[in-house]
């Protein structure tokens, strides 16, 4: 099967997840019109919104890159993709609890588990796609040793463990993973530049 | 008419349905930061969310497969498709009632009727598409005896009847239908592999 | 400009409008688990949901047909289209007020004005597209005398006036317009069948 | 990388932002069925909804035009685009606070800062795209001196400063920017008409 509709559906789901989180931000009520009211009602919410927005943005980016390389998929990839979307769809919920609790211990651990679940689901999706007969080897070339992909779950686990000690401390490793992925990753672009015939 | 826009619109609606259900999950309030609070406020919600997510995923999957075979549709298919989307769009509502009531009798029956309605709507859509002059016969070949499609409504009815006796028991057949469809179905892939000219 | 992205954006907006209305349905609270509770909390909501779902479905259908004929548009069409989407985006709001008030006078009139606004906006969009240099004449052929398009606003006005007398009576003409449009309209399909070269 | 999926994802996000704002409108409660109730509960909300709808419409329009000219992008454009979407995704939130406060000082300033942030993000995105090796020069030709793009942030700053004096007065410059952009901008269309080979 071609990947067009899988990409369109994933785009739709990711677009909704990224936007829907803004609905969870609490608007200060009627007579609370000062800047400290904004901070009081929506401060933590805005910080975690930025973090979760960046995560979804990274996933969209990587997803987009990966499917530039692969054109045909089988049914198992459809489900591996839905599995990834499931974990990502929980972000608005776990982010909302994190805010609501002002970054308490358990909500931070649950948030970390959600991040970890998505990372593992992405890894599984990538594995499945690297085993596709036609375009699998091509993707394996591009992904290479995939240091980032293997390191991220480890850092997430570190964050989860740190959150048991002190929740705010646990957020630090989560931010680190986001920063690692924000650094431009040229693997796919380099590959596409070398193999212009695939890009079209 | 070509099917491109029908698929895009359906993808949009399904992407929203699958994501919007997460908004119905109740976030534990401010000082409820323990794991048992998560279970208390969102436990049943998470279980039914998984179930409904899987259902929508299955429908998207089957819809996707069916429209790989058929390229041109008429106006009646547009409405049969909207009819299916209507039933699916009620999932967030009936799922929310199921949660809110902690799986009481009537909400479980109503949930089952919703599942049954969607299954029948899908069946009607498939029938209409098998009667299309150009690609109808091709689809009839692929669908074959369609044991799953005929069995599902029967199991749904069994679940609805069981729910009158004991609601939680009624959920079991609903889970069974989901599992039946999760088992990979190779009909379309096999057909596409044999007729590579259609796949493009 | 090609119409691909205009169609995709409109599909997105319509998909969201049609789905978001389900969020406005009131789920019966915790211990209200009987069928009459469903009716009490969501009965009117479900009826108006069906009505508004059918309207959005009709607009999507007609929009889809119209853009099968026209391939290139100018900037004025983009804005005429946004104008239509604006009126349609108010449906969830006016529908919600209609429910909340149990079909009181003013909310019914406001709902009618919303329907009328959308019908006029669609008419304006169609006019603009019939004036496009390349594909305009072709569309004018297909649309023909457009009896339905001219009659609908008149019936809407009748409904608005009737709603001043008795709100529930005012809903009748609104339902009539929906039924008129549900009757299959073969103008575009006939045209596409005769001019197969355009369909691709 | 081709721009297809970037456009689809942006369309999705913009479609949701534009539609989700209608959910923030407050429906008058049960027995408030008069026109002045509508004004009381949703009046300011409707005005700011129109304003924000027009803004999102303008961004979609300009985005659409810009990507008609450019076909290939690199990773930096993906992030510049996400950065723009981030600012736009805050519109429903800042609009809601503006309503809730009945256009008080700080919420108006915050709304202005949000508008300004989006304008700067769009400018940055445009800059990045004008530096693309293949299609950059073409875009530079079309954009030209970009008087509107340079004037808008200045007017936004004027609005923010005025809002400190009198909030309602601060809204005036914001409306002016919307009007400036609503005036049809023929740069892209003229270019496409002169270079028909690109349009396809």
């Amino acid at each position: 099967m071609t990947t067009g509709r899988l990409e369109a559906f994933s785009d739709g789901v990711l677009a909704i997840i990224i936007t829907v989180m803004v609905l969870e931000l609490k608007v200060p009520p009627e007579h609370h019109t000062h800047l400290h009211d904004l901070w009081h009602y929506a401060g933590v919410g805005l910080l975690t919104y930025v973090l979760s927005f960046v995560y979804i943005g990274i996933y969209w980016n990587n997803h987009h890159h990966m499917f530039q390389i692969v054109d045909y998929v089988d049914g198992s990839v459809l489900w591996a993709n839905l599995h990834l979307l499931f974990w990502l769809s929980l972000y608005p919920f776990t982010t909302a609890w994190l805010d609501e609790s002002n970054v308490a211990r358990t909500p931070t651990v649950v948030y970390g588990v959600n991040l970890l679940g998505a990372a593992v689901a992405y890894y599984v999706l990538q594995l499945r796609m690297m085993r596709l007969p036609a375009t699998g080897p091509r993707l394996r070339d591009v992904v290479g040793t995939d240091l980032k992909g293997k390191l991220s779950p480890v850092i997430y686990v570190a964050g989860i463990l740190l959150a048991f000690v002190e929740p705010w401390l646990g957020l630090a490793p989560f931010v680190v993973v986001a920063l690692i992925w924000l650094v431009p990753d040229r693997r796919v672009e380099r590959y596409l530049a070398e193999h212009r015939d695939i890009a079209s």
Side-chain angles (χ1 to χ4, degrees), chain A:
Chain A
M1 281 169 290
T2 56
T3 61
R5 216 177 142 184
L6 183 150
E7 294 178 65
F9 182 70
S10 306
D11 279 358
V13 172
L14 293 176
I16 297 157
I17 294 170
I18 219 169
T19 324
V20 136
M21 280 187 294
V22 96
L23 291 180
E24 308 274 9
L25 292 178
K26 271 186 288 292
V27 177
E30 201 161 351
H31 298 292
H32 295 70
T33 60
H34 294 285
L35 210 55
H36 61 81
D37 293 314
L38 183 65
W39 173 252
H40 179 72
Y41 284 95
V44 179
L46 279 167
L47 289 182
T48 54
Y49 177 60
V50 172
L51 188 59
S52 295
F53 189 98
V54 169
Y55 277 126
I56 301 290
I58 288 168
Y59 275 106
W60 178 76
N61 232 316
N62 291 345
H63 197 270
H64 180 41
H65 275 82
M66 185 156 65
F67 280 86
Q68 291 264 323
I69 308 265
V70 173
D71 294 326
Y72 286 88
V73 294
D74 60 17
S76 76
V77 171
L78 296 192
W79 279 108
N81 190 55
L82 278 169
H83 178 231
L84 169 63
L85 294 179
F86 174 76
W87 284 100
L88 296 177
S89 79
L90 292 177
Y91 276 31
F93 175 70
T94 55
T95 305
W97 197 26
L98 192 64
D99 300 346
E100 191 68 39
S101 74
N102 277 303
V103 189
R105 179 166 297 113
T106 315
T108 312
V109 170
V110 167
Y111 185 66
V113 170
N114 192 358
L115 297 178
L116 180 62
V120 171
Y122 189 83
Y123 193 76
V124 169
L125 171 63
Q126 193 175 271
L127 267 186
R128 285 251 34 102
M129 288 179 70
M130 293 198 299
R131 279 176 196 161
L132 289 171
T135 46
R138 207 197 280 167
L139 183 61
R140 249 171 294 165
D141 266 22
V142 176
V143 170
T145 52
D146 193 25
L147 193 64
K148 278 185 190 182
K150 279 171 189 146
L151 211 60
S152 302
V154 178
I155 309 181
Y156 281 139
V157 170
I160 292 169
L161 294 176
L162 269 174
F164 277 109
V165 185
E166 169 54 48
W168 278 97
L169 219 67
L171 286 183
F174 302 161
V175 173
V176 168
V177 176
L179 292 177
I180 287 178
W181 285 98
L182 274 172
V183 174
D185 187 342
R186 302 269 179 234
R187 284 178 294 176
V188 171
E189 281 175 57
R190 211 180 304 128
Y191 188 86
L192 289 176
E194 285 165 17
H195 304 72
R196 290 208 159 254
D197 51 317
I198 307 165
S200 60

PDB file of all heavy atoms in Angstrom, chain A residues 120-142:
ATOM      1  N   VAL A 120       9.208   4.382  22.688  1.00  0.00           N
ATOM      2  CA  VAL A 120       9.296   2.961  22.368  1.00  0.00           C
ATOM      3  C   VAL A 120       8.432   2.647  21.145  1.00  0.00           C
ATOM      4  O   VAL A 120       8.838   1.911  20.246  1.00  0.00           O
ATOM      5  CB  VAL A 120       8.870   2.111  23.592  1.00  0.00           C
ATOM      6  CG1 VAL A 120       8.731   0.648  23.207  1.00  0.00           C
ATOM      7  CG2 VAL A 120       9.875   2.283  24.729  1.00  0.00           C
ATOM      8  N   ALA A 121       7.240   3.233  21.087  1.00  0.00           N
ATOM      9  CA  ALA A 121       6.341   2.984  19.954  1.00  0.00           C
ATOM     10  C   ALA A 121       6.971   3.471  18.655  1.00  0.00           C
ATOM     11  O   ALA A 121       6.832   2.829  17.607  1.00  0.00           O
ATOM     12  CB  ALA A 121       4.993   3.674  20.188  1.00  0.00           C
ATOM     13  N   TYR A 122       7.668   4.597  18.722  1.00  0.00           N
ATOM     14  CA  TYR A 122       8.334   5.111  17.523  1.00  0.00           C
ATOM     15  C   TYR A 122       9.441   4.153  17.091  1.00  0.00           C
ATOM     16  O   TYR A 122       9.610   3.865  15.899  1.00  0.00           O
ATOM     17  CB  TYR A 122       8.918   6.498  17.764  1.00  0.00           C
ATOM     18  CG  TYR A 122       9.420   7.141  16.505  1.00  0.00           C
ATOM     19  CD1 TYR A 122       8.544   7.806  15.655  1.00  0.00           C
ATOM     20  CD2 TYR A 122      10.754   7.055  16.141  1.00  0.00           C
ATOM     21  CE1 TYR A 122       8.988   8.376  14.481  1.00  0.00           C
ATOM     22  CE2 TYR A 122      11.213   7.620  14.962  1.00  0.00           C
ATOM     23  CZ  TYR A 122      10.331   8.281  14.139  1.00  0.00           C
ATOM     24  OH  TYR A 122      10.769   8.840  12.962  1.00  0.00           O
ATOM     25  N   TYR A 123      10.171   3.645  18.084  1.00  0.00           N
ATOM     26  CA  TYR A 123      11.264   2.715  17.804  1.00  0.00           C
ATOM     27  C   TYR A 123      10.725   1.450  17.134  1.00  0.00           C
ATOM     28  O   TYR A 123      11.297   0.958  16.158  1.00  0.00           O
ATOM     29  CB  TYR A 123      11.976   2.384  19.120  1.00  0.00           C
ATOM     30  CG  TYR A 123      13.294   1.700  18.937  1.00  0.00           C
ATOM     31  CD1 TYR A 123      14.415   2.424  18.546  1.00  0.00           C
ATOM     32  CD2 TYR A 123      13.417   0.334  19.141  1.00  0.00           C
ATOM     33  CE1 TYR A 123      15.641   1.790  18.368  1.00  0.00           C
ATOM     34  CE2 TYR A 123      14.633  -0.308  18.964  1.00  0.00           C
ATOM     35  CZ  TYR A 123      15.746   0.428  18.577  1.00  0.00           C
ATOM     36  OH  TYR A 123      16.946  -0.198  18.387  1.00  0.00           O
ATOM     37  N   VAL A 124       9.600   0.942  17.656  1.00  0.00           N
ATOM     38  CA  VAL A 124       8.981  -0.259  17.082  1.00  0.00           C
ATOM     39  C   VAL A 124       8.534   0.012  15.647  1.00  0.00           C
ATOM     40  O   VAL A 124       8.745  -0.813  14.743  1.00  0.00           O
ATOM     41  CB  VAL A 124       7.776  -0.705  17.946  1.00  0.00           C
ATOM     42  CG1 VAL A 124       6.955  -1.766  17.240  1.00  0.00           C
ATOM     43  CG2 VAL A 124       8.261  -1.208  19.300  1.00  0.00           C
ATOM     44  N   LEU A 125       7.924   1.186  15.425  1.00  0.00           N
ATOM     45  CA  LEU A 125       7.485   1.546  14.074  1.00  0.00           C
ATOM     46  C   LEU A 125       8.666   1.558  13.122  1.00  0.00           C
ATOM     47  O   LEU A 125       8.609   1.031  12.000  1.00  0.00           O
ATOM     48  CB  LEU A 125       6.810   2.926  14.105  1.00  0.00           C
ATOM     49  CG  LEU A 125       6.471   3.566  12.761  1.00  0.00           C
ATOM     50  CD1 LEU A 125       5.454   2.748  11.988  1.00  0.00           C
ATOM     51  CD2 LEU A 125       5.945   4.983  12.950  1.00  0.00           C
ATOM     52  N   GLN A 126       9.780   2.147  13.573  1.00  0.00           N
ATOM     53  CA  GLN A 126      10.974   2.241  12.735  1.00  0.00           C
ATOM     54  C   GLN A 126      11.528   0.841  12.426  1.00  0.00           C
ATOM     55  O   GLN A 126      11.897   0.565  11.278  1.00  0.00           O
ATOM     56  CB  GLN A 126      12.019   3.073  13.480  1.00  0.00           C
ATOM     57  CG  GLN A 126      13.177   3.526  12.622  1.00  0.00           C
ATOM     58  CD  GLN A 126      14.103   4.446  13.395  1.00  0.00           C
ATOM     59  OE1 GLN A 126      13.930   5.656  13.430  1.00  0.00           O
ATOM     60  NE2 GLN A 126      15.095   3.869  14.037  1.00  0.00           N
ATOM     61  N   LEU A 127      11.533  -0.007  13.451  1.00  0.00           N
ATOM     62  CA  LEU A 127      11.986  -1.391  13.260  1.00  0.00           C
ATOM     63  C   LEU A 127      11.158  -2.086  12.183  1.00  0.00           C
ATOM     64  O   LEU A 127      11.701  -2.707  11.281  1.00  0.00           O
ATOM     65  CB  LEU A 127      11.840  -2.176  14.570  1.00  0.00           C
ATOM     66  CG  LEU A 127      13.057  -2.227  15.490  1.00  0.00           C
ATOM     67  CD1 LEU A 127      12.767  -3.170  16.645  1.00  0.00           C
ATOM     68  CD2 LEU A 127      14.300  -2.688  14.730  1.00  0.00           C
ATOM     69  N   ARG A 128       9.840  -1.975  12.307  1.00  0.00           N
ATOM     70  CA  ARG A 128       8.944  -2.619  11.348  1.00  0.00           C
ATOM     71  C   ARG A 128       9.215  -2.105   9.935  1.00  0.00           C
ATOM     72  O   ARG A 128       9.182  -2.858   8.972  1.00  0.00           O
ATOM     73  CB  ARG A 128       7.473  -2.358  11.695  1.00  0.00           C
ATOM     74  CG  ARG A 128       6.963  -3.149  12.850  1.00  0.00           C
ATOM     75  CD  ARG A 128       5.980  -4.266  12.477  1.00  0.00           C
ATOM     76  NE  ARG A 128       6.247  -4.906  11.218  1.00  0.00           N
ATOM     77  CZ  ARG A 128       6.829  -6.104  11.068  1.00  0.00           C
ATOM     78  NH1 ARG A 128       7.211  -6.803  12.102  1.00  0.00           N
ATOM     79  NH2 ARG A 128       7.019  -6.611   9.875  1.00  0.00           N
ATOM     80  N   MET A 129       9.443  -0.801   9.830  1.00  0.00           N
ATOM     81  CA  MET A 129       9.635  -0.225   8.498  1.00  0.00           C
ATOM     82  C   MET A 129      10.999  -0.596   7.922  1.00  0.00           C
ATOM     83  O   MET A 129      11.162  -0.660   6.707  1.00  0.00           O
ATOM     84  CB  MET A 129       9.456   1.284   8.545  1.00  0.00           C
ATOM     85  CG  MET A 129       7.991   1.648   8.749  1.00  0.00           C
ATOM     86  SD  MET A 129       7.718   3.421   8.852  1.00  0.00           S
ATOM     87  CE  MET A 129       8.034   3.904   7.166  1.00  0.00           C
ATOM     88  N   MET A 130      11.973  -0.855   8.791  1.00  0.00           N
ATOM     89  CA  MET A 130      13.282  -1.267   8.295  1.00  0.00           C
ATOM     90  C   MET A 130      13.253  -2.704   7.798  1.00  0.00           C
ATOM     91  O   MET A 130      14.164  -3.148   7.127  1.00  0.00           O
ATOM     92  CB  MET A 130      14.345  -1.092   9.385  1.00  0.00           C
ATOM     93  CG  MET A 130      14.577   0.383   9.711  1.00  0.00           C
ATOM     94  SD  MET A 130      16.115   0.733  10.585  1.00  0.00           S
ATOM     95  CE  MET A 130      15.898  -0.193  12.095  1.00  0.00           C
ATOM     96  N   ARG A 131      12.190  -3.448   8.172  1.00  0.00           N
ATOM     97  CA  ARG A 131      12.076  -4.841   7.720  1.00  0.00           C
ATOM     98  C   ARG A 131      11.221  -4.988   6.458  1.00  0.00           C
ATOM     99  O   ARG A 131      10.982  -6.096   5.997  1.00  0.00           O
ATOM    100  CB  ARG A 131      11.481  -5.698   8.844  1.00  0.00           C
ATOM    101  CG  ARG A 131      12.564  -6.085   9.851  1.00  0.00           C
ATOM    102  CD  ARG A 131      12.022  -6.838  11.018  1.00  0.00           C
ATOM    103  NE  ARG A 131      13.020  -6.831  12.091  1.00  0.00           N
ATOM    104  CZ  ARG A 131      12.762  -7.068  13.361  1.00  0.00           C
ATOM    105  NH1 ARG A 131      11.527  -7.329  13.735  1.00  0.00           N
ATOM    106  NH2 ARG A 131      13.709  -7.038  14.264  1.00  0.00           N
ATOM    107  N   LEU A 132      10.718  -3.869   5.939  1.00  0.00           N
ATOM    108  CA  LEU A 132       9.936  -3.940   4.695  1.00  0.00           C
ATOM    109  C   LEU A 132      10.853  -4.390   3.562  1.00  0.00           C
ATOM    110  O   LEU A 132      11.989  -3.912   3.456  1.00  0.00           O
ATOM    111  CB  LEU A 132       9.348  -2.573   4.363  1.00  0.00           C
ATOM    112  CG  LEU A 132       8.215  -2.097   5.278  1.00  0.00           C
ATOM    113  CD1 LEU A 132       7.882  -0.655   4.972  1.00  0.00           C
ATOM    114  CD2 LEU A 132       6.988  -2.968   5.112  1.00  0.00           C
ATOM    115  N   PRO A 133      10.379  -5.303   2.699  1.00  0.00           N
ATOM    116  CA  PRO A 133      11.264  -5.845   1.665  1.00  0.00           C
ATOM    117  C   PRO A 133      11.855  -4.768   0.734  1.00  0.00           C
ATOM    118  O   PRO A 133      13.069  -4.724   0.546  1.00  0.00           O
ATOM    119  CB  PRO A 133      10.363  -6.822   0.896  1.00  0.00           C
ATOM    120  CG  PRO A 133       8.966  -6.519   1.321  1.00  0.00           C
ATOM    121  CD  PRO A 133       9.044  -5.898   2.666  1.00  0.00           C
ATOM    122  N   ALA A 134      11.022  -3.887   0.190  1.00  0.00           N
ATOM    123  CA  ALA A 134      11.522  -2.995  -0.861  1.00  0.00           C
ATOM    124  C   ALA A 134      12.395  -1.869  -0.312  1.00  0.00           C
ATOM    125  O   ALA A 134      13.556  -1.717  -0.672  1.00  0.00           O
ATOM    126  CB  ALA A 134      10.337  -2.421  -1.646  1.00  0.00           C
ATOM    127  N   THR A 135      11.830  -1.054   0.581  1.00  0.00           N
ATOM    128  CA  THR A 135      12.526   0.156   1.007  1.00  0.00           C
ATOM    129  C   THR A 135      13.212   0.014   2.359  1.00  0.00           C
ATOM    130  O   THR A 135      13.863   0.939   2.822  1.00  0.00           O
ATOM    131  CB  THR A 135      11.528   1.329   1.062  1.00  0.00           C
ATOM    132  OG1 THR A 135      10.357   0.866   1.729  1.00  0.00           O
ATOM    133  CG2 THR A 135      11.188   1.816  -0.324  1.00  0.00           C
ATOM    134  N   GLY A 136      13.084  -1.158   2.984  1.00  0.00           N
ATOM    135  CA  GLY A 136      13.686  -1.369   4.291  1.00  0.00           C
ATOM    136  C   GLY A 136      15.190  -1.100   4.337  1.00  0.00           C
ATOM    137  O   GLY A 136      15.655  -0.299   5.157  1.00  0.00           O
ATOM    138  N   PRO A 137      15.959  -1.729   3.464  1.00  0.00           N
ATOM    139  CA  PRO A 137      17.415  -1.535   3.511  1.00  0.00           C
ATOM    140  C   PRO A 137      17.797  -0.064   3.354  1.00  0.00           C
ATOM    141  O   PRO A 137      18.713   0.431   4.025  1.00  0.00           O
ATOM    142  CB  PRO A 137      17.902  -2.351   2.304  1.00  0.00           C
ATOM    143  CG  PRO A 137      16.807  -3.326   2.013  1.00  0.00           C
ATOM    144  CD  PRO A 137      15.540  -2.665   2.422  1.00  0.00           C
ATOM    145  N   ARG A 138      17.066   0.644   2.486  1.00  0.00           N
ATOM    146  CA  ARG A 138      17.309   2.058   2.270  1.00  0.00           C
ATOM    147  C   ARG A 138      17.167   2.833   3.581  1.00  0.00           C
ATOM    148  O   ARG A 138      18.018   3.645   3.950  1.00  0.00           O
ATOM    149  CB  ARG A 138      16.265   2.564   1.266  1.00  0.00           C
ATOM    150  CG  ARG A 138      16.695   3.739   0.443  1.00  0.00           C
ATOM    151  CD  ARG A 138      15.477   4.396  -0.183  1.00  0.00           C
ATOM    152  NE  ARG A 138      15.002   3.708  -1.367  1.00  0.00           N
ATOM    153  CZ  ARG A 138      13.818   3.949  -1.923  1.00  0.00           C
ATOM    154  NH1 ARG A 138      12.993   4.857  -1.387  1.00  0.00           N
ATOM    155  NH2 ARG A 138      13.433   3.306  -2.997  1.00  0.00           N
ATOM    156  N   LEU A 139      16.090   2.523   4.317  1.00  0.00           N
ATOM    157  CA  LEU A 139      15.856   3.202   5.587  1.00  0.00           C
ATOM    158  C   LEU A 139      16.946   2.846   6.596  1.00  0.00           C
ATOM    159  O   LEU A 139      17.409   3.706   7.347  1.00  0.00           O
ATOM    160  CB  LEU A 139      14.478   2.804   6.133  1.00  0.00           C
ATOM    161  CG  LEU A 139      14.041   3.494   7.425  1.00  0.00           C
ATOM    162  CD1 LEU A 139      13.952   4.996   7.248  1.00  0.00           C
ATOM    163  CD2 LEU A 139      12.693   2.958   7.900  1.00  0.00           C
ATOM    164  N   ARG A 140      17.376   1.560   6.599  1.00  0.00           N
ATOM    165  CA  ARG A 140      18.425   1.141   7.517  1.00  0.00           C
ATOM    166  C   ARG A 140      19.706   1.937   7.283  1.00  0.00           C
ATOM    167  O   ARG A 140      20.374   2.355   8.218  1.00  0.00           O
ATOM    168  CB  ARG A 140      18.697  -0.354   7.364  1.00  0.00           C
ATOM    169  CG  ARG A 140      18.244  -1.144   8.597  1.00  0.00           C
ATOM    170  CD  ARG A 140      18.324  -2.632   8.350  1.00  0.00           C
ATOM    171  NE  ARG A 140      17.358  -3.025   7.314  1.00  0.00           N
ATOM    172  CZ  ARG A 140      17.389  -4.206   6.688  1.00  0.00           C
ATOM    173  NH1 ARG A 140      18.329  -5.088   6.958  1.00  0.00           N
ATOM    174  NH2 ARG A 140      16.466  -4.482   5.788  1.00  0.00           N
ATOM    175  N   ASP A 141      20.023   2.163   6.016  1.00  0.00           N
ATOM    176  CA  ASP A 141      21.173   2.991   5.648  1.00  0.00           C
ATOM    177  C   ASP A 141      21.077   4.376   6.285  1.00  0.00           C
ATOM    178  O   ASP A 141      22.033   4.884   6.874  1.00  0.00           O
ATOM    179  CB  ASP A 141      21.192   3.205   4.124  1.00  0.00           C
ATOM    180  CG  ASP A 141      22.047   2.182   3.427  1.00  0.00           C
ATOM    181  OD1 ASP A 141      22.252   1.106   4.031  1.00  0.00           O
ATOM    182  OD2 ASP A 141      22.486   2.444   2.301  1.00  0.00           O
ATOM    183  N   VAL A 142      19.889   4.984   6.124  1.00  0.00           N
ATOM    184  CA  VAL A 142      19.714   6.367   6.562  1.00  0.00           C
ATOM    185  C   VAL A 142      19.753   6.465   8.085  1.00  0.00           C
ATOM    186  O   VAL A 142      20.372   7.358   8.656  1.00  0.00           O
ATOM    187  CB  VAL A 142      18.386   6.943   6.026  1.00  0.00           C
ATOM    188  CG1 VAL A 142      18.159   8.339   6.551  1.00  0.00           C
ATOM    189  CG2 VAL A 142      18.385   6.922   4.511  1.00  0.00           C
TER     190      VAL A 142
END
